[in-house]
Amino acid sequence: MFSRDEARRFVPPGGGDPHKDVFLAWELLYRLEPELYDRLASAERLHPGVVDWLPRDVDRIAEVGAGTGRLTMELVGRGQHIVAVEPALPLRRILRRKLAAAGHGERVRVIDGFFDELPLPDDFAGLAVACSAFTPAPGHGGDAGLAEMERVCRPGGLVAIIWPNHLDWLATRGYRYVSFPGPMYVEFASHDEAVELAEIFYPTAAGEVRRRGSRKVPFEVLGINPPRDLAYKVLPQC
């Protein structure tokens, strides 16, 4: 199910164990159950302040690790041309389908690619952004991935990591931090779906999700940080 390039980046020596390796587990999910992943990602909506904070009227935007379009659909109104880079073929198919259904198929180009080897030229975009995909781990970002995002972003442009982890790691590389206040909920399509997906992805919280009887579940109930923040760097002018 992995291409040679994917296996080199995502599969540890010996094949790995998805029960012990969370990164491998997610990569398998993207390829084996992409629709299941999309149901979860669609419920985990970004804080509106995050999207509003991003620049408008950007000529070109490069999104890395686009997945099934959690952020991509929000970027359409902020850039004239968007390139969404995603390594998992099943997720690219879902994203293309969503874009076509929304009439955005001509405005957004969805391509294969990896954090550490972006198929884009130097100084390509005014905004280079990743959402819920970048980590310090090799294959999912790291120093090589950060360098690539900065390479494809032109001088004076913005590199943004939305819903980041390891803030100290990003801070040592010159990234600043913004967070937006207010309650946040994972908004499932129904209470039944909330229970179903909690049992799969957040089993220790499934009982509380069932008890609440609502399709809207506070992020803290699931034990995860809400997508209310970002780390960013404005690249210096030459």
Side-chain angles (χ1 to χ4, degrees):
M1 75 191 67
F2 289 109
S3 69
R4 182 177 300 177
D5 283 341
E6 289 173 331
R8 177 165 57 88
R9 289 171 171 86
F10 304 140
V11 180
D17 182 352
H19 294 96
K20 298 177 181 178
D21 185 336
V22 65
F23 293 123
L24 178 59
W26 281 106
E27 294 296 339
L28 288 168
L29 176 69
Y30 302 152
R31 291 158 178 83
L32 294 174
E33 296 284 352
E35 299 287 350
L36 177 64
Y37 166 74
D38 184 51
R39 290 167 62 197
L40 177 67
S42 297
E44 296 173 338
R45 300 177 184 177
L46 300 173
H47 192 295
V50 168
V51 178
D52 288 345
W53 186 91
L54 295 174
R56 295 182 180 271
D57 301 321
V58 182
D59 58 347
R60 291 195 294 264
I61 298 174
E63 182 190 5
V64 190
T68 59
R70 185 205 321 259
L71 176 64
T72 316
M73 306 302 288
E74 304 278 3
L75 293 174
V76 169
R78 311 189 82 82
Q80 299 172 26
H81 179 65
I82 300 163
V83 176
V85 182
E86 170 53 51
L89 175 59
L91 302 191
R92 293 200 303 272
R93 287 172 173 161
I94 293 175
L95 178 53
R96 288 189 180 112
R97 187 177 71 218
K98 287 183 177 181
L99 290 166
H104 301 317
E106 297 298 320
R107 197 166 185 181
V108 182
R109 181 162 58 102
V110 182
I111 63 173
D112 185 14
F114 301 92
F115 269 110
D116 61 352
E117 195 174 354
L118 296 177
L120 296 170
D122 295 356
D123 303 339
F124 171 80
L127 170 64
V129 61
C131 176
S132 185
F134 188 96
T135 79
H140 296 90
D143 281 309
L146 209 57
E148 277 289 270
M149 291 185 70
E150 294 182 12
R151 177 186 67 80
V152 304
C153 187
R154 70 174 60 98
L158 179 75
V159 179
I161 309 296
I162 295 174
W163 207 0
N165 58 17
H166 300 281
L167 294 173
D168 290 344
W169 185 89
L170 287 165
T172 62
R173 286 151 178 83
Y175 281 73
R176 303 176 69 179
Y177 179 68
V178 178
S179 183
F180 300 89
M184 291 192 68
Y185 301 87
V186 183
E187 300 185 34
F188 298 99
S190 66
H191 175 242
D192 287 342
E193 180 178 78
V195 173
E196 176 191 355
L197 295 184
E199 288 176 342
I200 295 170
F201 294 102
Y202 308 106
T204 59
E208 177 62 15
V209 172
R210 184 180 295 105
R211 186 193 67 78
R212 285 174 171 263
S214 173
R215 71 175 189 88
K216 296 176 64 175
V217 181
F219 275 85
E220 56 265 29
V221 169
L222 301 178
I224 56 175
N225 294 323
R228 64 165 76 251
D229 54 354
L230 60 88
Y232 72 95
K233 178 192 282 188
V234 178
L235 299 189
Q237 296 279 4
C238 293

